[in-house]
Amino acid sequence: MAREESIAERVDRLELPFNEFGVDPYGISKKHLALASSVMAFLYRYYFRVRCYGIEHVPKRGRAMLVGNHSGGYAVDGAMVVTSMFLEMDPPRLAQGMAEKFLNKFPIASLWTSRTGQFTGLPEHAHRLLEDDRLLMVFPEGARGTAKLFRERYSLVDFGTGFIRLALQTRTPIVPVGILGGGTAVPTVANLYKLGRLFGVPYIPVTPYLLPLPLPAPVELHYGEPLTFTGTGDEDDDVITGYVEQVKSSIAGLIERGRELRHRRRES
């Protein structure tokens, strides 16, 4: 931050239409944002010691879509992207993600995700957010991304295509994000899918120390130059797939650049 501000001050500077009760039209609450952001800011600064590069590529205002890679058992990476938008941007922005549907089964998780702007991943929710010029965070790998094993942490699995059609329909620029460290923070060696289903989640990650608790591994966020595509969203699948591959290639390049930067730092 340019100057040391309290979390409450940064919440007040969010350019969202809060009413006199501190709630916006989506039900996002200033009180919940301040509490959640205080915890996330501590993790961001002192536990994961996040390094953020290319933040200037994210528009200060207006609709945009942050599209990144997933890894690490669960969404440590997504939480750090949201926190980077809140702490590093001036004015601060609220990145709003499309949460996995299973979170709605857990009352506390469902309440806190909605009160902090993270909504169930339905196309109509995403479309409305972008039409309202919000900042949308998307992980096209979905749960397949967080299920990557430690040895696969820098790889990319297949991307869904819905985010491209949405970007075209809403005329939204895509900011690619290469994320390093999520797969090291939660070094998954196996996933228990049957046990996960018993608890109502896609899987339960297993680490070398058994419990899927995150390690204090450094996380890096690399934001790339915005990508814009022309079309209506009704294009043939081969056209959409070509756009998806361009985004995927950009993210892969950011990951590789981040790995090279880490290597040079270790050598110096």
Short mmCIF file of all heavy atoms in Angstrom, two decimals, residues 12 16-25 28-31:
data_model
loop_
_atom_site.label_atom_id
_atom_site.label_comp_id
_atom_site.label_asym_id
_atom_site.label_seq_id
_atom_site.Cartn_x
_atom_site.Cartn_y
_atom_site.Cartn_z
N ASP A 12 -13.56 0.97 3.34
CA ASP A 12 -14.32 2.20 3.04
C ASP A 12 -13.99 2.74 1.66
O ASP A 12 -14.82 3.43 1.05
CB ASP A 12 -14.03 3.27 4.10
CG ASP A 12 -14.75 3.02 5.41
OD1 ASP A 12 -15.77 2.30 5.39
OD2 ASP A 12 -14.29 3.51 6.45
N LEU A 16 -17.80 0.45 -4.15
CA LEU A 16 -19.00 -0.37 -4.25
C LEU A 16 -20.17 0.41 -3.66
O LEU A 16 -19.99 1.21 -2.73
CB LEU A 16 -18.82 -1.69 -3.48
CG LEU A 16 -17.70 -2.62 -3.98
CD1 LEU A 16 -17.60 -3.84 -3.08
CD2 LEU A 16 -17.95 -3.04 -5.42
N PRO A 17 -21.37 0.20 -4.15
CA PRO A 17 -22.54 0.98 -3.70
C PRO A 17 -23.12 0.48 -2.37
O PRO A 17 -24.25 -0.02 -2.33
CB PRO A 17 -23.53 0.82 -4.86
CG PRO A 17 -23.21 -0.53 -5.42
CD PRO A 17 -21.71 -0.68 -5.30
N PHE A 18 -22.35 0.62 -1.30
CA PHE A 18 -22.85 0.23 0.02
C PHE A 18 -23.95 1.19 0.47
O PHE A 18 -23.87 2.40 0.23
CB PHE A 18 -21.72 0.23 1.04
CG PHE A 18 -20.68 -0.84 0.82
CD1 PHE A 18 -19.40 -0.50 0.41
CD2 PHE A 18 -20.99 -2.17 1.04
CE1 PHE A 18 -18.44 -1.48 0.21
CE2 PHE A 18 -20.03 -3.17 0.85
CZ PHE A 18 -18.76 -2.81 0.42
N ASN A 19 -24.96 0.65 1.15
CA ASN A 19 -26.01 1.52 1.70
C ASN A 19 -25.63 1.98 3.11
O ASN A 19 -24.50 1.75 3.57
CB ASN A 19 -27.37 0.81 1.70
CG ASN A 19 -27.37 -0.44 2.58
OD1 ASN A 19 -26.53 -0.62 3.47
ND2 ASN A 19 -28.33 -1.32 2.33
N GLU A 20 -26.56 2.64 3.80
CA GLU A 20 -26.26 3.18 5.13
C GLU A 20 -25.97 2.09 6.16
O GLU A 20 -25.42 2.37 7.23
CB GLU A 20 -27.41 4.07 5.61
CG GLU A 20 -28.73 3.36 5.87
CD GLU A 20 -29.61 3.28 4.62
OE1 GLU A 20 -29.06 3.36 3.49
OE2 GLU A 20 -30.84 3.16 4.78
N PHE A 21 -26.32 0.84 5.84
CA PHE A 21 -26.05 -0.27 6.75
C PHE A 21 -24.76 -1.00 6.40
O PHE A 21 -24.43 -2.02 7.00
CB PHE A 21 -27.22 -1.26 6.74
CG PHE A 21 -28.54 -0.62 7.11
CD1 PHE A 21 -29.50 -0.40 6.14
CD2 PHE A 21 -28.80 -0.23 8.42
CE1 PHE A 21 -30.71 0.20 6.46
CE2 PHE A 21 -30.01 0.36 8.75
CZ PHE A 21 -30.96 0.58 7.77
N GLY A 22 -24.05 -0.50 5.40
CA GLY A 22 -22.79 -1.12 5.01
C GLY A 22 -22.98 -2.40 4.21
O GLY A 22 -22.13 -3.29 4.26
N VAL A 23 -24.07 -2.48 3.44
CA VAL A 23 -24.35 -3.67 2.63
C VAL A 23 -24.61 -3.21 1.20
O VAL A 23 -25.30 -2.22 0.97
CB VAL A 23 -25.58 -4.43 3.18
CG1 VAL A 23 -25.88 -5.65 2.30
CG2 VAL A 23 -25.33 -4.86 4.62
N ASP A 24 -24.06 -3.94 0.22
CA ASP A 24 -24.28 -3.56 -1.17
C ASP A 24 -25.43 -4.38 -1.76
O ASP A 24 -25.99 -5.25 -1.09
CB ASP A 24 -22.98 -3.69 -1.97
CG ASP A 24 -22.80 -5.06 -2.61
OD1 ASP A 24 -23.37 -6.06 -2.11
OD2 ASP A 24 -22.09 -5.15 -3.62
N PRO A 25 -25.86 -4.10 -3.01
CA PRO A 25 -27.01 -4.80 -3.57
C PRO A 25 -26.88 -6.31 -3.66
O PRO A 25 -27.88 -7.02 -3.78
CB PRO A 25 -27.15 -4.18 -4.97
CG PRO A 25 -26.55 -2.82 -4.84
CD PRO A 25 -25.42 -2.98 -3.89
N ILE A 28 -23.16 -8.06 0.01
CA ILE A 28 -21.79 -8.00 0.53
C ILE A 28 -21.76 -7.02 1.70
O ILE A 28 -22.30 -5.92 1.62
CB ILE A 28 -20.81 -7.55 -0.57
CG1 ILE A 28 -20.86 -8.53 -1.74
CG2 ILE A 28 -19.39 -7.44 -0.03
CD1 ILE A 28 -20.12 -8.05 -2.97
N SER A 29 -21.13 -7.44 2.78
CA SER A 29 -21.16 -6.68 4.03
C SER A 29 -19.79 -6.10 4.37
O SER A 29 -18.78 -6.82 4.36
CB SER A 29 -21.62 -7.60 5.16
OG SER A 29 -21.26 -7.12 6.42
N LYS A 30 -19.76 -4.81 4.67
CA LYS A 30 -18.51 -4.18 5.09
C LYS A 30 -17.93 -4.87 6.33
O LYS A 30 -16.72 -5.06 6.44
CB LYS A 30 -18.74 -2.70 5.40
CG LYS A 30 -18.71 -1.77 4.20
CD LYS A 30 -18.74 -0.33 4.66
CE LYS A 30 -18.54 0.63 3.51
NZ LYS A 30 -18.46 2.04 3.98
N LYS A 31 -18.80 -5.21 7.27
CA LYS A 31 -18.34 -5.84 8.50
C LYS A 31 -17.65 -7.17 8.22
O LYS A 31 -16.56 -7.45 8.72
CB LYS A 31 -19.52 -6.06 9.45
CG LYS A 31 -19.15 -6.72 10.77
CD LYS A 31 -20.36 -6.89 11.68
CE LYS A 31 -21.25 -8.02 11.16
NZ LYS A 31 -22.35 -8.33 12.10
#
